[in-house]
Amino acid sequence: MKKISFSSFYEKTVRVLSFVAIIVLLRGAIWNIIALKQSSVTIEEIAFTILNLITASCFGILLVKPEKLAFCATISIVYAILNLILSPPDIGIGFFMFILFLVSLYAQDFFKKWKKTKIFCITISFVLLMLINLIYGFEVFEEKLFDVVGYSLIVLVIILIFAKYQLESKHSILGRKILDLRKFMSDGSLNDRDVVWLKMILNRDKYSAIANQTSVAEGTMRNRIRDVFKIIGVTDKKQFLTIYDEALVITTQEEFQAWKDTLV
């Protein structure tokens, strides 16, 4: 998994969220400890008291070192599994901790290779976690199942809205549209020839002309440009031109800084 680099804004965001999580988890642990003194002790109560304290400690690590995102992924899946199994019929925190686990993995490029296989395995694992709840009876299982469906729909709607917003505006800063390729150039996903092709496509050059001017077979050029479109997050040439029409292509930090200076 890649090493995560945080901007100042994201470091502050992670620290704030970690601080809030610590407060919430410690409160839960304190209430669990009080409950243990007032009633008969159960394995579930002891488990969640310990888990809340451990989870709070892990978020404490994130509070100090936001780049340690692996801690977030690890404790999230442990918390999710125990909550989904040991807390019938409540599922809220377990479900969202599972989502946090997936987001943490995604941020570390876990799904970059063998994407479909990994998604399939994670999906099967979640289904098995749900089926385990049948030991508490069908009513508990049914209630959890409907909660999962409801929460999933809410998360899906949020993702779709956010994705649409990102697709339309993530490359538009201060009213000036740009095609920011710095990340893809630095990690080797794109090369200089890819950038030349993208610029020529933005100039409305035909594929045949682009292939001829860059001394590449048109079939080879078409196959590669399909991959390039996928890398930058568009489906085809039509969507690319719709989103990045008249956009300034930026490939280096120096170009980005020079463009920013023109906005001052």
Side-chain angles (χ1 to χ4, degrees):
M1 293 183 182
K2 72 177 182 180
K3 182 179 179 181
I4 309 299
S5 58
F6 284 87
S7 67
S8 176
F9 171 77
Y10 282 106
E11 281 189 358
K12 292 177 181 177
T13 301
V14 171
R15 287 193 168 109
V16 169
L17 293 177
S18 297
F19 179 76
V20 174
I22 291 170
I23 298 299
V24 173
L25 290 165
L26 289 179
R27 178 186 178 279
I30 291 172
W31 278 106
N32 285 340
I33 293 173
I34 294 175
L36 291 178
K37 294 180 178 181
Q38 297 177 347
S39 61
S40 58
V41 178
T42 65
I43 296 178
E44 290 83 357
E45 289 171 333
I46 295 175
F48 276 104
T49 300
I50 297 174
L51 185 61
N52 281 344
L53 292 173
I54 294 176
T55 307
S57 300
C58 289
F59 276 108
I61 294 175
L62 281 177
L63 183 64
V64 179
K65 296 184 176 182
E67 70 276 9
K68 298 293 184 179
L69 203 58
F71 283 100
C72 189
T74 302
I75 198 59
S76 295
I77 189 58
V78 172
Y79 200 105
I81 289 174
L82 290 179
N83 185 268
L84 290 172
I85 295 177
L86 300 178
S87 293
D90 176 49
I91 194 174
I93 187 64
F95 176 82
F96 288 108
M97 288 296 280
F98 191 84
I99 296 298
L100 179 59
F101 163 69
L102 296 180
V103 171
S104 300
L105 291 182
Y106 178 80
Q108 298 172 84
D109 276 352
F110 176 78
F111 297 104
K112 191 172 184 179
K113 296 181 179 179
W114 305 97
K115 181 178 180 179
K116 293 182 179 179
T117 301
K118 290 175 180 178
I119 291 176
F120 175 78
C121 292
I122 289 175
T123 302
I124 292 299
S125 300
F126 187 80
V127 170
L128 291 176
L129 281 174
M130 291 300 301
L131 290 175
I132 290 176
N133 284 276
L134 284 170
I135 63 177
Y136 299 110
F138 184 76
E139 289 186 2
V140 171
F141 170 75
E142 184 182 35
E143 185 173 349
K144 279 200 170 186
L145 181 62
F146 274 94
D147 283 346
V148 166
V149 173
Y151 289 139
S152 298
L153 289 174
I154 294 172
V155 171
L156 180 60
V157 169
I158 293 173
I159 291 175
L160 290 175
I161 294 174
F162 183 74
K164 182 177 184 298
Y165 171 79
Q166 286 289 92
L167 189 63
E168 294 177 347
S169 65
K170 69 179 179 179
H171 295 289
S172 179
I173 303 177
L174 299 179
R176 300 289 188 86
K177 189 185 297 184
I178 65 169
L179 173 54
D180 189 353
L181 303 177
R182 288 175 297 165
K183 172 186 175 183
F184 308 117
M185 296 295 290
S186 63
D187 65 15
S189 300
L190 298 181
N191 55 47
D192 292 336
R193 188 181 65 177
D194 297 328
V195 175
V196 171
W197 287 351
L198 290 174
K199 289 181 178 179
M200 295 178 76
I201 292 173
L202 287 175
N203 288 332
R204 299 301 196 277
D205 291 345
K206 295 182 178 180
Y207 280 176
S208 57
I210 295 173
N212 182 53
Q213 292 183 44
T214 55
S215 303
V216 177
E218 185 176 344
T220 301
M221 181 263 172
R222 286 179 177 273
N223 289 334
R224 173 56 185 170
I225 207 65
R226 290 193 195 98
D227 293 334
V228 171
F229 285 152
K230 290 180 181 178
I231 291 171
I232 65 177
V234 297
T235 56
D236 52 27
K237 179 181 177 181
K238 181 179 179 180
Q239 187 182 56
F240 172 68
L241 290 174
T242 299
I243 297 174
Y244 299 110
D245 183 37
E246 299 182 354
L248 174 65
V249 179
I250 292 178
T251 60
T252 66
Q253 183 60 33
E254 289 73 18
E255 290 177 351
F256 180 76
Q257 187 59 49
W259 170 76
K260 284 185 66 177
D261 291 342
T262 65
L263 302 177
V264 178

